[in-house]
C-alpha cells in the first residue's frame, strides 16, 4: 500500500515536472511575448522574465524590440534629368507594437525591406542627379516618410534612412570631372585677375610715394639685389636705373652741334703735314746765260725779242716745305 502510494506520488511529481517544463517560457529583456490561445490573440503581452503558457492550448511568439539595421540592395534607376544611376541605402527600424507586428503582417522584416526598395526607386525617379549627390538630407527625410507611412500599421517605427552610395556610369564620371576642372580653372583665373588688380593698385601707390623721394628707389634696388644674392645664384641681374639713362641722353644732346667743327679742325691741321716722297722732288731750273738763249717762238724775223710778262721773267721758285731745309741756288 505504501509502495503504491509512493509510486503514485513519484508519477505525479514527474507529470508536474513535465508540465512545468512544457509550459515554462523565458522572455528576454529586449523581447516581448505575444500569446495566442487556440489561435486567438490574448490581450496581455508577456513582459521579460519567466512566464507560463498552457501546453497544447497556447502558443507564445517572441518579438525583438531592438533597433534593426537592414541594408537595402542597390537599385538601378533613371533620374529626372535622364541619368542612369545605381543607389543603395540602409534603414534603421524597430517594433513598437509586438501584437501588430505578429498579427498585421506575416514577416515584418521582409515587408520593410520590400517597401524600402520600392520607395528608393521612386525617390530616384523624382530627384535630379545634383540632389542625389549634394542634397541627401532632404532625400533621406522623404524616403523615411515614404517607408514609415505603411509601416505604422505593422507596429514598426522607421527610425532613420540613409542613402549610402550613388554609382554613376564611367562616361558621366568623366564628364563631371571635366566640368569640375573647368570650374576650378575659372575660379583660379578670377582669383589671379583680382590679385593682379590689387597688386597693380598697390604698385601705383608705391610708385607715387617713391616719386617724391628718389632715395627710396635706390634703397629698393639694394634690397632687391640682397634678396637675389641670398639664393646663391651664379648670375646676378643688376637693374639699370632709367633716370641715369635719361641723364646720359640729355648730356649727349647738349654738345652735339659743336662736334662737326671739332672733327673738321684736325683735318685742316693735318693737310700741310703731308710730305711728298723724295723721288718726286724736281731740282730747281738751271739758269742759262742770255747769249745762249734761243729766241722765243712767235718773234718776228727781225730778231727783236718779244716782250715778256713779269710772270714769265720771274725765275721759277718753289716755297720750301716747313720740314725741308732751305738750300740756296
Amino acid at each position: 500500500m505504501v509502495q503504491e502510494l509512493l509510486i503514485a506520488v513519484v508519477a505525479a511529481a514527474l507529470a508536474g515536472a513535465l508540465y512545468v517544463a512544457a509550459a515554462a517560457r523565458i522572455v528576454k529583456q529586449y523581447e516581448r511575448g505575444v500569446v495566442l490561445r487556440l489561435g486567438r490573440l490574448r490581450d496581455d503581452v508577456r513582459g521579460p522574465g519567466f512566464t507560463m503558457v498552457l501546453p497544447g492550448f497556447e502558443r507564445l511568439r517572441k518579438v525583438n524590440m531592438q533597433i534593426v539595421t537592414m541594408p537595402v540592395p542597390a537599385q538601378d534607376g533613371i533620374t529626372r534629368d535622364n541619368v542612369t544611376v545605381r543607389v543603395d541605402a540602409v534603414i534603421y527600424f524597430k517594433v513598437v507594437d509586438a501584437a501588430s507586428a505578429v498579427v498585421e503582417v506575416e514577416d515584418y522584416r521582409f515587408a520593410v525591406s520590400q517597401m524600402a526598395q520600392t520607395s528608393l526607386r521612386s525617390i530616384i525617379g523624382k530627384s535630379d542627379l545634383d540632389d542625389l549627390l549634394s542634397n541627401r538630407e532632404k532625400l533621406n527625410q522623404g524616403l523615411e516618410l515614404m517607408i514609415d507611412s505603411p509601416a505604422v500599421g505593422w507596429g514598426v517605427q522607421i527610425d532613420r534612412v540613409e542613402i549610402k552610395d550613388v554609382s554613376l556610369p564611367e562616361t558621366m564620371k568623366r564628364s563631371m570631372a571635366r566640368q569640375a576642372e573647368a570650374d576650378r580653372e575659372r575660379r583660379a583665373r578670377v582669383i589671379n585677375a583680382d590679385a593682379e588688380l590689387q597688386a597693380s593698385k598697390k604698385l601705383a601707390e608705391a610708385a607715387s610715394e617713391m616719386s617724391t623721394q628718389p632715395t627710396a628707389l635706390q634703397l629698393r634696388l639694394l634690397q632687391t639685389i640682397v634678396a637675389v644674392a641670398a639664393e646663391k645664384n651664379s648670375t646676378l641681374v643688376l637693374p639699370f636705373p632709367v633716370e641715369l639713362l635719361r641723364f646720359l641722353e640729355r648730356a649727349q644732346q647738349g654738345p652735339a652741334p659743336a662736334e662737326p667743327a671739332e672733327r673738321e679742325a684736325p683735318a685742316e691741321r693735318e693737310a700741310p703735314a703731308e710730305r711728298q716722297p723724295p723721288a718726286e722732288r724736281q731740282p730747281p731750273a738751271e739758269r742759262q746765260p742770255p747769249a745762249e738763249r734761243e729766241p722765243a717762238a712767235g718773234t718776228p724775223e727781225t730778231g727783236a725779242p718779244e716782250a715778256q710778262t713779269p710772270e714769265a721773267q720771274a725765275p721759277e721758285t718753289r716755297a720750301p716745305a716747313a720740314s725741308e731745309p732751305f738750300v740756296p741756288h
Side-chain angles (χ1 to χ4, degrees):
M1 184 73 179
V2 176
Q3 186 178 3
E4 293 178 356
L5 183 59
L6 292 173
I7 293 173
V9 171
V10 171
L14 290 176
L18 291 175
Y19 178 80
V20 170
R25 297 288 187 275
I26 296 177
V27 180
K28 298 179 182 180
Q29 182 65 35
Y30 54 85
E31 293 177 341
R32 297 295 182 268
V34 179
V35 179
L36 298 174
R37 178 178 294 177
L38 298 176
R40 188 174 180 178
L41 177 67
R42 295 292 302 271
D43 295 336
D44 56 336
V45 177
R46 309 293 173 88
F50 181 80
T51 185
M52 298 287 291
V53 294
L54 296 175
F57 296 96
E58 294 180 349
R59 183 182 177 184
L60 179 67
R61 293 191 60 178
K62 300 178 183 179
V63 180
N64 193 339
M65 306 296 289
Q66 291 177 319
I67 294 177
V68 180
T69 303
M70 178 181 295
V72 181
Q75 304 296 316
D76 294 329
I78 300 177
T79 60
R80 189 167 58 182
D81 50 354
N82 298 326
V83 178
T84 303
V85 294
R86 186 179 180 86
V87 183
D88 57 351
V90 60
I91 183 172
Y92 302 89
F93 66 93
K94 64 180 180 180
V95 177
V96 294
D97 189 357
S100 299
V102 172
V103 176
E104 299 296 336
V105 62
E106 180 181 2
D107 187 355
Y108 67 90
R109 290 176 178 264
F110 180 76
V112 171
S113 176
Q114 294 300 314
M115 179 57 65
Q117 294 181 30
T118 55
S119 300
L120 183 59
R121 292 196 192 97
S122 177
I123 207 71
I124 290 172
K126 294 178 180 179
S127 305
D128 295 332
L129 180 61
D130 294 338
D131 295 336
L132 289 175
L133 296 176
S134 60
N135 196 12
R136 292 189 180 182
E137 291 294 332
K138 183 178 179 181
L139 298 180
N140 293 337
Q141 294 176 2
L143 189 59
E144 180 180 348
L145 291 176
M146 293 178 66
I147 301 175
D148 189 59
S149 297
V152 172
W154 305 335
V156 178
Q157 179 183 353
I158 305 300
D159 187 51
R160 193 172 185 179
V161 180
E162 293 287 343
I163 295 177
K164 291 198 302 183
D165 187 23
V166 178
S167 300
L168 300 175
E170 294 297 329
T171 56
M172 182 58 64
K173 289 181 180 179
R174 289 193 293 269
S175 300
M176 294 177 66
R178 289 195 298 268
Q179 180 182 0
E181 183 179 0
D183 186 39
R184 287 193 297 268
E185 184 177 359
R186 179 184 62 83
R187 287 184 293 178
R189 290 183 177 180
V190 171
I191 294 173
N192 189 17
D194 191 12
E196 291 292 339
L197 177 60
Q198 295 179 5
S200 63
K201 292 181 179 179
K202 295 297 181 182
L203 288 175
E205 295 178 1
S208 62
E209 291 292 335
M210 289 184 179
S211 62
T212 57
Q213 297 292 336
T215 309
L217 183 60
Q218 300 297 331
L219 294 176
R220 181 58 182 168
L221 175 61
L222 295 177
Q223 291 178 359
T224 305
I225 295 174
V226 171
V228 173
E231 299 180 359
K232 298 180 180 180
N233 292 331
S234 60
T235 304
L236 178 62
V237 179
L238 182 62
F240 198 76
V242 180
E243 288 77 6
L244 184 57
L245 293 177
R246 293 177 180 174
F247 175 76
L248 295 177
E249 184 179 358
R250 289 194 298 269
Q252 291 178 0
Q253 289 178 357
E259 290 182 358
E262 294 179 356
R263 292 179 182 177
E264 293 176 359
E268 294 176 355
R269 289 195 297 268
E270 291 177 358
E274 295 181 359
R275 300 179 180 177
Q276 297 180 356
E280 298 179 356
R281 296 176 183 173
Q282 297 180 0
E286 297 180 358
R287 297 182 178 178
Q288 295 179 3
E292 296 179 357
R293 292 182 182 177
E294 296 179 356
T299 56
E301 295 178 356
T302 59
E306 184 180 4
Q308 297 182 356
T309 62
E311 294 179 359
Q313 295 178 1
E316 182 178 0
T317 59
R318 182 177 60 89
S323 60
E324 292 180 359
F326 178 76
V327 180
H329 297 285

